Structure formats: structure tokens, C-alpha cells
Amino acid sequence: MLVDSPPEQRAETAPAPPSRRAIRAVGLLVSVAILVLVALASIAIGAKALSMGQVWHGLFQDTGTYGDVVVADRISRTVLGLLAGAALGLAGAVLQALTRNPLADPGLLGINAGASAAVVTAITFFGVTSLSGYVWFAFAGAAVVGALVWFLGGSRGATPVRLALAGTAISAALYGYLQAVMILDDVALSRMRFWTVGSLSSASDSAILQVLPFIAVGTLLALSLARPLNAMEMGDDTAKALGANLNRTRALAMLSATVLCGAATAACGPIMFVGLMVPHVVRSFTGPDLRWILPYATILSPVLLLGADVIGRIIARPSELQVGIVTAIIGGPVFIYLVRRRRTAQL
């Protein structure tokens, strides 16, 4: 005759439910797998679709065939998409924490506008025509605007509201300048028309090598700020009590976001909504802990960017729709939904 064990013993022998930390770790591994699949799709799909056998051959047995050449070209495009997506998503997550606004994105502080204005200036007044030439102008423009926003926002006395207001004002002024120059200069308009909507089609090994060091440094800096930014989200007084240096954290957060967004914008143009959507979606299942939000945003933002790039190639064959247009089409309705959801939650 079987004797049922007492409830206390059954509770002790029952398997413990998986911890939230373990679930998040598994989620990161799943996210990496999704990213690999999307990267392979980015290499295989284009004006001419390639089989996975051709992709494999082009990756590991390049013999100069047509398929191998296509794979080589798409690898540069995919790598740039990986780097730019990770940079934009990470910059967005940092800026949302810095401004305490889940609807913030890299464009909020004028970084995109600074890079765009610098490139227009380089083309119109300095005759720069190549991507490798105006990458540095774009990065310098983003850096100058980032420093200016920090100064106008109060530098050591900067607050989230002051930074957002300074960035909005500078963005408006710079976009006015950009539109005026492009209207008055047909050459600038012709050369800028693809860059200003955001595109991966001009990807090259030289552009990747130029922005890679900046994205690497910006990524390491942003990830290192997870703990102090966590403390700051609980309020300035609480953050000080926990030992966080508010001025240093804000300055380093601004620096990391400027470096990341400036490098991505310099190489691809101003791509909107990636830095807004992904961190917000990630926060819905990781919670507010930036130690998880930042890695997830780094992995999943390239999924969105490369996925949008693949969609743009499919729906406009044999031509393509620029990735910045696709992310705007996707991001517009998502942004409206997020705003309405946030407003409803506040009522």
C-alpha cells in the first residue's frame, strides 16, 4: 500500500520554478539565434535570391562566381546593419534612462540633426563626395551637438527636462538649416537624397572600419553605466544615497549616446525609430533593470534594422526601398500606439 508523503515533503522535493534571471539568460540566447537567422536572410535575400548552399559557398569557399561576389557585397551590408542597429538601440536605451522618458530616442537630443547638418555642409561648401570623406563630418557634427546640448542643458546641473528641451530646440534649428541648403543647392539635394532617409546600400569595408572603433568604445561605455543609470531612475536623492555620481553618469551617458548614434548616422544616415521601439519593447519583458535592457537592446535592434532592410529589398524588387523608409513606416504606428498606451496608463 502506497503512503502519500506529507505536503511539507512534497514541497521540498518539487522542482523549483526557473528564476527570472535564468529566463532572461535563455531569452538572450534565443535573441542571438534570431539575430543569426536574420543576418543569414540579409545575405541570402536581395534583388537576386540565393540558396543557403550558395550563401555557405560564398562565405567559406569564395571562388569568384557570381553568387560569391553577391555574398561578399551583402556581407558588408549585413555587418554594417549589425553595427548600426546595435549602436542605435543601445543609444536609445541609454537616452531613455538618462531623460527618464521611455519615448525618447537618439533624435531627441539633436544628434541625428547634427550629423545631417554636418554632411550637408561638407557636400555644399567643401565639395566632399565620398562616404569615407563625410563620415568624419557627420561624426564631428554629432559630437558638437552632443556637447552643445550638454552645455545648454546646464552641464553639471543638467536635468532630463533641460537636456530634452535643449535637444529639441537645436534639432529644429539644424533641420531648418539643412532644408534651406538642400533647396538652394541642387547638387547637395541630389547627393543627399539617399543618405538623408537612411540606407545600408552604400556599405563598404572602409566605412565599417572607420566607425567600428567608435561603436566598440561607445558600447563598452554604455554597458558599464547600467548600475548608476539604474540608481538614477529611482530619483536623484535615492541615487546619491546609493553612491551614484549624478554629474559623471549623465556626462558619460551623453558621451556614449553621442558616440554610438554619431557613428551609426555617419555610416548609414539618420535612421529613425530603432532607438525608440526596441528598448521600449525590451523593457516590457525584462522590467526596468538596465543590466538586462542594454544587452537585449544591443542584440535585438540589429534584428529590426536588418529585418527592415530585407523587407525593403523584397517589396520593391528588382529595386529596393531604403531601410530608413521601412523603419519609419513601421515605427510611426508603433509610436502612436506607445503614446496612446502611455497616456491611458496615466489617466
Side-chain angles (χ1 to χ4, degrees):
M1 180 178 179
L2 297 176
V3 179
D4 196 9
S5 58
E8 294 82 0
Q9 184 176 350
R10 291 201 304 271
E12 292 176 359
T13 58
S19 66
R20 191 170 186 181
R21 182 185 295 271
I23 294 174
R24 289 168 172 170
V26 172
L28 273 179
L29 295 177
V30 173
S31 300
V32 171
I34 294 172
L35 179 59
V36 171
L37 292 176
V38 173
L40 290 175
S42 176
I43 297 173
I45 299 174
K48 175 179 173 58
L50 301 177
S51 67
M52 292 310 299
Q54 289 175 303
V55 172
W56 181 268
H57 190 278
L59 288 173
F60 300 105
Q61 303 175 19
D62 189 353
T63 57
T65 63
Y66 174 77
D68 295 343
V69 173
V70 171
V71 169
D73 289 340
R74 292 181 186 171
I75 287 175
S76 296
R77 183 171 184 153
T78 301
V79 171
L80 183 60
L82 291 171
L83 293 175
L88 292 172
L90 195 52
V94 169
L95 290 177
Q96 287 174 13
L98 178 65
T99 60
R100 298 175 194 164
N101 181 359
L103 300 181
D105 76 335
L108 179 68
L109 299 185
I111 298 172
N112 285 344
S116 300
V119 171
V120 168
T121 301
I123 291 175
T124 304
F125 299 107
F126 297 99
V128 179
T129 58
S130 65
L131 175 64
S132 60
Y134 60 66
V135 156
W136 296 102
F137 281 90
F139 186 79
V144 169
V145 169
L148 186 59
V149 168
W150 175 250
F151 174 77
L152 295 178
S155 59
R156 290 184 175 272
T159 63
V161 174
R162 287 181 179 179
L163 291 174
L165 290 175
T168 301
I170 292 174
S171 293
L174 289 179
Y175 276 124
Y177 164 77
L178 187 151
Q179 294 299 324
V181 172
M182 292 178 64
I183 290 174
L184 296 174
D185 190 335
D186 293 337
V187 175
L189 176 61
S190 177
R191 291 174 181 169
M192 288 289 296
R193 59 194 179 98
F194 288 114
W195 189 87
T196 51
V197 298
S199 174
L200 298 177
S201 60
S202 299
S204 65
D205 293 341
S206 62
I208 292 171
L209 292 176
Q210 285 177 329
V211 301
L212 179 58
F214 296 103
I215 293 178
V217 171
T219 298
L220 293 175
L221 180 58
L223 293 176
S224 70
L225 295 173
R227 288 182 181 275
L229 285 174
N230 270 343
M232 286 178 58
E233 286 201 334
M234 293 185 288
D236 289 356
D237 293 336
T238 303
K240 289 180 181 178
L242 293 174
N245 187 319
L246 301 185
N247 291 328
R248 183 179 64 186
T249 301
R250 285 178 178 140
L252 292 177
M254 274 290 298
L255 177 62
S256 65
T258 299
V259 170
L260 288 168
C261 187
T265 304
C268 307
I271 299 176
M272 306 299 291
F273 292 111
V274 174
L276 165 68
M277 288 188 289
V278 176
H280 194 91
V281 172
V282 166
R283 192 179 292 105
S284 67
F285 60 83
T286 64
D289 191 347
L290 285 162
R291 291 174 298 176
W292 290 101
I293 293 176
L294 297 182
Y296 266 101
T298 304
I299 296 170
L300 292 179
S301 295
V303 172
L304 172 61
L305 188 60
L306 289 177
D309 190 42
V310 170
I311 292 173
R313 297 184 225 172
I314 293 175
I315 63 178
R317 281 179 174 170
S319 183
E320 67 177 65
L321 198 61
Q322 305 301 316
V323 66
I325 298 175
V326 179
T327 57
I329 293 172
I330 297 173
V334 172
F335 182 74
I336 293 173
Y337 166 76
L338 294 177
V339 171
R340 290 181 60 86
R341 180 182 177 184
R342 180 175 172 81
R343 183 179 178 184
T344 303
Q346 291 175 342
L347 293 178

